[in-house]
């Protein structure tokens, strides 16, 4: 709000200053709840087959929800009412499957009873195969109709997966089996719930990590460089220690939500091997994951990790684990005997679900092999190209263009002496404005080089930047066709030149205010806003002072002119009075 008010105030000042197909058999109906935290809108079609939410927690084995039906027998074409009820829950997914082949495709279709709380989904490319929630609000009962198809099997079974919240969910809760009237008895065992995997044990760290072996036994990444997590609370620390054919990883940093690091083939998020330590309910969950672009990470099994341990103390989170250098047959895990860029990030977490990192991730300057020789390396949260972009734009639109405008507005009569055939003020003005255009052009291409294209995550900043770039190029082109001083078109040129220049300056200031908040620059707040406001205030104040000074000078000139006219008039009157007697005589 403060920044918006500043923008409005200075836009006002700038404006004021600028004016002058399916098989027969038995099938199953499955009610499946997908991730509410990941998919609050219920668009969980990709989970139709597996029925397991992509959460970093283990499913509960003690169901507290129930599936019931309006009748236990059915014929093709019948409509069966299916009800899910129990303690408050947030999401669900409903399907129909073969009771003797639960891995088969869904069967039949659904009809909604209340479209405010349920919606039809597309599974196996068929619309209406499943039903899910429409929002993450709490529910205690859901009712829908299942429509038996013409090729209906003999037996239909109901299953349900219910999510109460992100970390609490039940997978494939069995429901009743309904059968056709003349079908043989259903004898297939009801083993619908897959056995829960045994998770690796997690222990508690008894002391803080130390940086004493960094560069000797440990490959360390630290921010600030050379900080020690044992002594400095604000130290972000990541170390790798090779132990035969495995690597011990230690990660530490100030965080109440999560810490994470990732191995990447480039300096961009996407297709990366990541590891997350999530703080929740006075414990820390250590989870491998994979990054798919700028979307929420997909959590993987912890089976590849060993010796997991964690510690929470004075707002600092620490976690460690061991993993083999190579993991043949394990998807999404990179071999650690290769060089990668390494990312280190932190942020908030909500009920075990990580949110967007609070600041730009720390990224190493180059690729490193963490199983090679121990090293001490650093990184940056703001890349050079983005820093250069911001610096050049700042110099162009807060320095050179501002001084150039002052030259043209207030120094025409002070620096009127010709220099190389033109007035001195005009030479300075033209040089500064051409410098502004050159700096803007250079700065404009830098983000495109860094992003390798358009940035879709920078809000309005790039759009305003493009407008500024167009004005910066058009202004000198327009000036090249400036009419002579007394040409009738000169006034039109002056107004056009002034209008485009004023618009460019206002939009440039807005773009800079918006750009300061982008994480790529990693500027300290709120001092960045104060500093920018100070520069704008300095220029506005300078223009006000010079405007007042120019007005006072013009008033003095007007007073002198009036006095001169009065003197001349008095002389004329006096001469007339003297000559009158002679004329009369």
């Amino acid at each position: 709000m403060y920044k918006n008010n500043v923008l409005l105030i200075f836009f006002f000042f700038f404006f004021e200053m600028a004016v002058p197909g399916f098989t027969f058999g038995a099938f199953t109906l499955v009610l499946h709840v997908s991730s509410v935290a990941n998919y609050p809108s219920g668009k969980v079609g990709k989970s139709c087959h597996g029925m397991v939410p992509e959460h970093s927690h283990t499913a509960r084995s003690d169901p507290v929800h129930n599936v019931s039906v309006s009748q236990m027998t059915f014929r093709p074409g019948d409509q069966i009412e299916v009800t899910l009820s129990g303690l408050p829950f947030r999401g669900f997914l409903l399907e129909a499957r073969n009771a003797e082949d639960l891995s088969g495709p869904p069967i039949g279709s659904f009809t909604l009873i209340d479209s405010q709380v349920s919606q039809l989904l597309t599974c196996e490319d068929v619309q209406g195969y499943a039903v899910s929630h429409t929002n993450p609000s709490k529910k205690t009962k859901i009712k829908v109709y299942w429509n038996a198809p013409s090729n209906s099997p003999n037996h239909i079974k109901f299953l349900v997966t219910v999510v109460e919240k992100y970390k609490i969910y039940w997978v494939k809760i069995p429901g009743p089996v309904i059968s056709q009237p003349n079908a043989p008895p259903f004898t297939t065992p009801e083993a619908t719930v897959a056995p829960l995997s045994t998770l690796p044990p997690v222990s508690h760290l008894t002391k803080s990590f130390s940086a004493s072996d960094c560069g000797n036994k440990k490959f360390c990444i630290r921010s600030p460089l050379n900080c020690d997590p044992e002594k400095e609370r604000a130290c972000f620390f990541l170390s790798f220690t090779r132990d035969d054919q495995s690597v011990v990883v230690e990660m530490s940093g100030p965080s109440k939500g999560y810490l994470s690091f990732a191995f990447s083939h480039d300096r961009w998020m996407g297709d990366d091997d990541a590891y997350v330590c999530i703080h929740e309910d006075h414990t820390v969950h250590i989870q491998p994951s994979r990054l798919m672009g700028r979307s929420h990470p997909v959590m993987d099994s912890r089976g590849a990790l060993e010796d997991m341990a964690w510690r929470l103390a004075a707002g600092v989170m620490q976690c460690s684990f061991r993993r083999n250098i190579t993991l043949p047959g394990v998807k999404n895990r990179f071999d650690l005997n290769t060089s990668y860029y390494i990312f280190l990030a932190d942020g908030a977490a909500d009920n075990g679900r990580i949110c967007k990192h609070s600041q730009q991730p720390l990224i190493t300057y180059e690729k490193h092999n963490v199983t090679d020789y121990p090293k001490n390396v650093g990184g940056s949260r703001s890349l050079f190209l983005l820093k250069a972009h911001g610096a050049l734009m700042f110099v162009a639109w807060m320095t050179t263009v501002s001084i150039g405008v002052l030259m043209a507005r207030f120094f025409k009569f002070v620096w009127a002496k010709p220099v190389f055939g033109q007035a001195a003020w005009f030479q300075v003005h033209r040089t500064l404005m051409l410098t502004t255009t050159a700096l803007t052009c250079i700065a404009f291409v830098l983000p495109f080089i860094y992003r390798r294209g358009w940035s879709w995550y920078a809000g309005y900043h790039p759009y305003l930047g493009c407008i500024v770039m167009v004005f910066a190029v058009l202004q000198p082109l327009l000036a090249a066709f400036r009419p002579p001083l007394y040409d009738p078109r000169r006034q039109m040129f002056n107004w056009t030149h002034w209008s485009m220049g004023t618009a460019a300056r206002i939009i440039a200031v807005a773009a800079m205010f918006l750009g300061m908040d982008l994480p790529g620059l990693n500027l300290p707040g709120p001092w960045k806003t104060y500093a920018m406001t100070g520069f704008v205030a300095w220029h506005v104040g300078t223009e006000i002072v010079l405007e007042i000074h120019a007005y006072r000078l013009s008033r003095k000139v007007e007073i002198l002119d009036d006095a001169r006219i009065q003197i001349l008039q008095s002389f004329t009157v006096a001469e007339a009075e003297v000559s009158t007697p002679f004329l009369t005589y």
Side-chain angles (χ1 to χ4, degrees):
M1 179 64 70
Y2 169 75
K3 186 177 293 185
N4 291 337
N5 290 338
V6 170
L7 279 172
L8 290 173
I9 291 171
F10 286 116
F11 286 174
F12 171 78
F13 273 119
F14 268 121
F15 182 78
E16 289 297 316
M17 293 304 298
V19 172
F22 307 112
T23 61
F24 290 98
F27 290 81
T28 303
L29 183 62
V30 177
L31 182 59
H32 164 60
V33 176
S34 182
S35 165
V36 172
N38 280 338
Y39 305 100
S41 64
K43 303 294 186 180
V44 295
K46 72 175 186 178
S47 298
C48 285
H49 179 72
M51 301 189 301
V52 179
E54 295 178 342
H55 297 189
S56 57
H57 299 275
T58 305
R60 298 292 183 91
S61 58
D62 51 344
V64 294
H65 300 85
N66 178 63
V67 178
S68 60
V69 293
S70 58
Q71 59 192 65
M72 297 303 295
T73 60
F74 72 96
R75 296 179 184 276
D78 283 356
Q79 193 172 67
I80 310 297
E81 183 180 274
V82 183
T83 303
L84 168 64
S85 59
L87 296 178
F89 59 94
R90 295 182 180 273
F92 67 94
L93 173 67
L94 179 62
E95 298 178 9
R97 295 194 183 184
N98 189 333
E100 296 175 347
D101 181 16
L102 300 183
S103 62
I107 295 300
S109 63
F110 289 94
T111 301
L112 301 178
I113 294 178
D114 186 354
S115 60
Q116 297 297 317
V117 295
S118 58
Q119 63 180 325
L120 298 178
L121 292 183
T122 299
C123 295
E124 303 287 339
D125 297 325
V126 178
Q127 172 68 16
Y129 257 7
V131 181
S132 74
H133 54 282
T134 58
N135 59 71
S137 63
K138 290 185 178 181
K139 315 160 186 66
T140 57
K141 182 180 289 188
I142 295 293
K143 288 186 177 183
V144 294
Y145 290 120
W146 175 70
N147 306 305
S150 58
N151 57 348
S152 233
N154 289 329
H155 305 282
I156 297 294
K157 185 178 179 63
F158 297 91
L159 299 177
V160 59
T161 299
V162 177
V163 172
E164 181 179 311
K165 60 181 181 178
Y166 185 79
K167 67 175 182 176
I168 300 177
Y169 57 92
W170 296 263
V171 175
K172 295 184 180 179
I173 301 172
V177 176
I178 60 175
S179 305
Q180 296 199 47
N182 299 323
F186 178 68
T187 58
T188 302
E190 296 188 12
T192 58
V193 180
L196 299 177
S197 59
T198 303
L199 296 177
V202 181
S203 60
H204 189 80
L205 294 168
T206 57
K207 62 179 182 178
S208 177
F209 299 141
S210 174
S212 59
D213 289 331
C214 288
N216 297 319
K217 297 179 180 179
K218 296 179 179 180
F219 183 101
C220 296
I221 302 170
R222 293 182 275 178
S223 178
L225 190 64
N226 297 324
C227 67
D228 191 340
E230 195 172 21
K231 302 175 182 178
E232 302 173 48
R233 180 181 176 276
C235 179
F236 286 93
F237 174 83
L238 178 64
S239 73
F240 303 87
T241 305
R242 180 164 184 169
D243 184 11
D244 195 18
Q245 295 303 308
S246 65
V247 174
V248 177
V249 180
E250 297 175 337
M251 182 164 53
S252 173
S255 177
K256 295 182 179 180
Y258 72 91
L259 292 173
S260 67
F261 75 93
F263 298 106
S264 179
H265 296 287
D266 51 33
R267 301 176 70 94
W268 297 96
M269 292 178 61
D271 193 25
D272 302 328
D273 180 7
Y275 301 84
V276 188
C277 296
I278 307 172
H279 178 198
E280 182 190 13
D281 293 340
H282 308 291
T283 189
V284 175
H285 303 281
I286 303 172
Q287 194 77 34
S289 64
R290 65 184 184 275
L291 300 179
M292 307 298 292
R294 291 192 170 190
S295 60
H296 193 274
V298 179
M299 300 300 177
D300 294 327
S301 169
R302 287 184 276 180
L305 307 185
E306 303 173 351
D307 300 339
M308 293 185 290
W310 60 270
R311 178 176 181 266
L312 293 171
V316 175
M317 183 193 308
Q318 296 188 330
C319 58
S320 67
F321 61 88
R322 178 192 301 270
R323 61 148 285 186
N324 290 337
I325 296 175
T326 59
L327 294 169
V330 180
K331 293 179 60 177
N332 307 318
R333 304 281 75 82
F334 293 176
D335 292 342
L336 300 187
N337 51 9
T338 305
S339 295
Y340 304 100
Y341 288 105
I342 302 172
F343 290 58
L344 181 59
D346 68 291
D350 182 17
N351 285 325
R353 179 179 182 265
I354 70 172
C355 305
K356 183 179 179 181
H357 40 74
S358 55
Q359 57 182 329
Q360 188 79 352
L362 181 77
I363 307 175
T364 55
Y365 296 109
E366 57 185 328
K367 291 183 177 180
H368 294 283
N369 183 345
V370 298
T371 62
D372 206 350
Y373 300 105
K375 294 179 183 178
N376 255 314
V377 302
S380 173
R381 297 185 185 273
S382 177
L383 299 183
F384 173 77
L385 288 178
L386 295 184
K387 290 181 179 178
H389 165 77
L392 291 176
M393 284 297 192
F394 182 85
V395 171
W397 293 96
M398 294 305 298
T399 305
T400 57
V401 77
S402 299
I403 298 174
V405 168
L406 295 178
M407 291 294 107
R409 187 170 181 82
F410 301 108
F411 287 81
K412 284 184 178 180
F413 303 105
V414 179
W415 290 3
K417 185 178 179 181
V419 176
F420 299 110
Q422 295 283 356
W425 72 266
F426 179 76
Q427 295 285 30
V428 175
H429 170 77
R430 180 168 58 183
T431 301
L432 290 172
M433 292 308 183
L434 290 176
T435 302
T436 298
T437 299
L439 293 177
T440 303
C441 291
I442 296 171
F444 182 78
V445 301
L446 296 182
F448 288 93
I449 296 174
Y450 170 67
R451 294 292 183 189
R452 301 176 185 176
W454 184 261
S455 177
W456 299 102
Y457 302 93
Y460 294 108
H461 176 76
Y463 298 97
L464 296 180
C466 288
I467 297 174
V468 171
M469 179 65 201
V470 170
F471 282 140
V473 173
L474 288 180
Q475 278 290 76
L477 293 178
L478 179 66
F481 296 95
R482 181 182 60 175
L485 182 61
Y486 300 105
D487 191 286
R489 297 170 298 172
R490 182 60 177 259
Q491 188 174 7
M492 181 183 297
F493 164 82
N494 289 339
W495 277 101
T496 304
H497 192 59
W498 165 82
S499 300
M500 291 176 58
T502 302
R505 293 169 63 201
I506 293 175
I507 297 173
V509 171
M512 284 188 285
F513 269 101
L514 294 175
M516 291 188 305
D517 283 334
L518 297 178
L521 288 179
N522 193 38
L523 295 176
W527 292 107
K528 57 187 177 184
T529 302
Y530 298 156
M532 184 68 181
T533 302
F535 275 100
V536 176
W538 170 85
H539 176 69
V540 172
T542 301
E543 284 207 10
I544 292 174
V545 171
L546 291 177
E547 194 70 47
I548 294 172
H549 179 67
Y551 174 77
R552 294 185 64 182
L553 285 179
S554 64
R555 289 294 299 159
K556 287 183 178 180
V557 171
E558 290 177 1
I559 292 172
L560 290 175
D561 288 342
D562 290 343
R564 187 178 295 109
I565 292 173
Q566 291 177 2
I567 292 172
L568 292 175
Q569 289 177 345
S570 63
F571 274 119
T572 303
V573 171
E575 289 176 356
E577 291 177 350
V578 171
S579 60
T580 299
F582 292 98
L583 292 174
T584 302
Y585 177 79

